Amino acid sequence: MTVGAWWIFGYISNALFPPQAAVTLAIEPACEIATFAADSAVEISTASRRGKPAHHCRVRGTIDKEINFELLLPTLWNGKFVMGGGGGFVGTVENIALRYGALQSGYATVGTDTGHSGNSLDARWALDNMVRIENFGHRAVHLTTVAAKGLIATYYGQASRQNYFMGCSRGGGQALMEAQRYPEDFDGIVAGAPAYNWSLGVAANATQIARAMFPDPNRLERAVIQPEDQALIAEAYLQQCDSLDGLRDGILNDPRDCPFTPEALRCRTPGAAECLSEEKISALASIYGGPSNVRGQLWPGFPFGGELSEQGMTMWLTGGLAHLDLQPGALDEYGFPYPLAPNASYAFGNGIMKYMVFNDPAWDYRHYNYDQVEKDTAPIAKLLDAADPNLDAFRRRGGKLLLYHGWSDMALSAHGTIDYYDRVVERSADAATDVKLYLLPGVDHCFGGVGPSLINYLTVIDQWVERKQEPAGLEAHWLNWMRIPWGSRLVCPYPQRPIFLGASDSSADSFRCEWLDL
């Protein structure tokens, strides 16, 4: 699920997008429809030359009539292929690999709309349509991968020698689905803030939070938790915990170290200021405690960190129509209408339950019994969830998986990704040599926040797969107001954590990775 300013990567210096040596071709391929031999299920609609951000042949087509894709074939090809994932419910052709300089570096690259059209927050396309749900869940990415590899081989006269996938949010879930269900597709996979459990991690979680924030789904103007409450919480936990890592910088190095609980702000007398009412304390429990039913916790809660961020709690979990700068009937950049939703997770959770689980646009959460949620969501979980820790087939063929997640992410809890990584390693201890997880302090959903989040994961995964350079500590940059990288800090492979050594707090050289027990 991505909602935010991914466009900023377009301004980043080419120093982070190093070009690679081009493959020598016997002849220059013709960029025209007739060049491309494709399976009967694949229909090429256009093929044309383009000059930006690097010279390439742009190929557009469809698979099985509804799965749209766009394949970009650079003139100076490095012999490799990367697929970029999408965000939210997708609905348009998306390719996050382009934000990491895939074309400038010489990669052939592809993206897909996963088989339907619409705003990325809108799930109405799924109503009574299991084929589209399956395409969205896993089939469209796999079929696009197979088609793209075939078209690449036809165009260049040779197959790609390395194949990568990278995605964040929904794209991170697509990444894990590929590693689990289609282990032959890719040699290296990057999964950021993965939306990998749509039944409990998104649907149950988001609708329980929605019920706490908006007890009446017909009154969506303001959430129970308001920005001033979020500011009170952030001020309190930072006052108590900000300096635990040796830096007072507004960033929790690891929120698990902080013993603060919102209960400490409970109002002792009715109408008191600078405190939280019983209703607000209860509502916050749905965020920080996670969803639950009679059998216990269904999904981990959110860590502290994103309460004040522009792309944090208000945008994802609280908000309200009064906080949105959208006019009735507003259209997105692709001409699709925005669904009526007070925050992004409200749209995702309700969209899944209405249009995928119950096929009932009138469904609402007011009287829903969450004791039944595992049973009710089981059919779609088989198509959407990528929670299997068995990566044996992927690893046997040399596959490498890099996961990352921002600690301040208020769209998808970092605890969920930690849980997945822990289950992978618990199942097979040596998996830690092929699977790495990076937790980014102060970073929001996929990107942004008070912490540094810019890392070219495409370069990292390529060096790991092709050059056998196992990643250790990675340098993460901030961007200044001109969208130019400045300063940096070290992020570490979990369970290691960055330790500040003194000197500059904006230089990765001032940190080292250490193994610390909680």
Side-chain angles (χ1 to χ4, degrees), residues 234-297:
E235 180 182 359
Y237 71 66
L238 287 174
Q239 179 65 32
Q240 182 175 345
C241 301
D242 190 9
S243 60
L244 291 178
D245 56 9
L247 286 169
R248 185 164 285 279
D249 55 359
I251 299 173
L252 297 181
N253 194 37
D254 190 323
R256 296 172 297 180
D257 293 336
C258 184
F260 172 81
T261 67
E263 290 280 347
L265 298 173
R266 184 188 298 275
C267 294
R268 303 307 174 189
T269 58
E274 298 295 301
C275 63
L276 298 172
S277 68
E278 188 69 36
E279 180 186 29
K280 293 179 184 291
I281 292 290
S282 178
L284 287 168
S286 70
I287 292 178
Y288 298 119
S292 62
N293 63 13
V294 69
R295 286 173 290 282
Q297 188 183 53

Side-chain angles (χ1 to χ4, degrees), residues 251-253 403-409 437-444 446-447 451-455 457 476 491-492:
I251 299 173
L252 297 181
N253 194 37
L403 299 116
Y404 67 92
H405 208 128
W407 266 124
S408 296
D409 190 337
L437 167 62
Y438 290 83
L439 298 168
L440 283 62
V443 173
D444 290 343
C446 294
F447 191 84
S453 59
L454 178 59
I455 300 169
Y457 296 104
V491 295
C492 302

Side-chain angles (χ1 to χ4, degrees), residues 92-429:
T92 55
V93 174
E94 298 183 28
N95 182 349
I96 200 176
L98 296 175
R99 311 301 184 183
Y100 289 91
L103 272 179
Q104 295 96 309
S105 297
Y107 289 89
T109 184
V110 75
T112 178
D113 65 0
T114 68
H116 62 273
S117 299
N119 181 271
S120 65
L121 294 173
D122 194 345
R124 288 177 293 179
W125 52 268
L127 183 65
D128 290 317
N129 198 321
M130 292 300 287
V131 171
R132 285 183 174 178
I133 293 174
E134 183 175 16
N135 284 340
F136 170 73
H138 63 88
R139 188 169 175 270
V141 169
H142 171 63
L143 292 182
T144 300
T145 301
V146 173
K149 287 181 177 179
L151 295 171
I152 288 168
T154 296
Y155 185 72
Y156 292 115
Q158 56 186 281
S160 51
R161 71 174 185 271
Q162 302 291 356
N163 302 288
Y164 305 129
F165 184 96
M166 61 188 312
C168 192
S169 193
R170 172 57 192 146
Q174 292 170 336
L176 291 187
M177 187 68 84
E178 280 291 312
Q180 295 165 23
R181 192 180 288 250
Y182 302 107
E184 300 287 333
D185 281 357
F186 296 104
D187 306 301
I189 292 175
V190 178
Y196 71 88
N197 190 312
W198 288 77
S199 56
L200 303 180
V202 180
N205 192 22
T207 54
Q208 277 206 7
I209 293 173
R211 185 162 69 179
M213 295 301 138
F214 304 94
D216 183 350
N218 296 309
R219 301 181 63 182
L220 302 177
E221 289 301 306
R222 296 182 183 278
V224 168
I225 299 299
Q226 287 289 290
E228 58 267 26
D229 303 318
Q230 296 163 205
L232 183 64
I233 295 163
E235 180 182 359
Y237 71 66
L238 287 174
Q239 179 65 32
Q240 182 175 345
C241 301
D242 190 9
S243 60
L244 291 178
D245 56 9
L247 286 169
R248 185 164 285 279
D249 55 359
I251 299 173
L252 297 181
N253 194 37
D254 190 323
R256 296 172 297 180
D257 293 336
C258 184
F260 172 81
T261 67
E263 290 280 347
L265 298 173
R266 184 188 298 275
C267 294
R268 303 307 174 189
T269 58
E274 298 295 301
C275 63
L276 298 172
S277 68
E278 188 69 36
E279 180 186 29
K280 293 179 184 291
I281 292 290
S282 178
L284 287 168
S286 70
I287 292 178
Y288 298 119
S292 62
N293 63 13
V294 69
R295 286 173 290 282
Q297 188 183 53
L298 295 168
W299 194 252
F302 287 89
F304 297 120
E307 292 80 6
L308 301 182
S309 176
E310 183 178 350
Q311 297 184 59
M313 184 179 281
T314 298
M315 185 180 85
W316 283 102
L317 302 176
T318 58
L321 298 180
H323 292 285
L324 297 179
D325 187 23
L326 286 176
Q327 299 300 316
L331 304 179
D332 65 17
E333 60 182 306
Y334 302 102
F336 297 116
Y338 288 95
L340 183 68
N343 59 56
S345 289
Y346 186 100
F348 290 122
N350 281 277
I352 295 169
M353 297 296 268
K354 288 182 177 182
Y355 303 110
M356 299 184 186
V357 176
F358 294 110
N359 289 300
D360 179 8
W363 179 90
D364 73 52
Y365 47 69
R366 275 176 292 189
H367 306 296
Y368 180 63
N369 182 358
Y370 282 90
D371 294 346
Q372 304 297 318
V373 71
E374 296 103 323
K375 178 181 177 182
D376 289 340
T377 60
I380 66 152
K382 295 177 181 178
L383 301 178
L384 300 183
D385 290 358
D388 187 354
N390 184 350
L391 301 176
D392 291 352
F394 177 67
R395 294 180 55 227
R396 269 197 304 268
R397 52 184 305 273
K400 306 298 182 184
L401 172 63
L402 188 154
L403 299 116
Y404 67 92
H405 208 128
W407 266 124
S408 296
D409 190 337
M410 285 285 177
L412 297 162
S413 173
H415 291 305
T417 301
I418 293 171
D419 177 68
Y420 178 74
Y421 176 86
D422 285 344
R423 288 190 295 114
V424 169
V425 175
E426 285 169 6
R427 184 185 174 279
S428 181

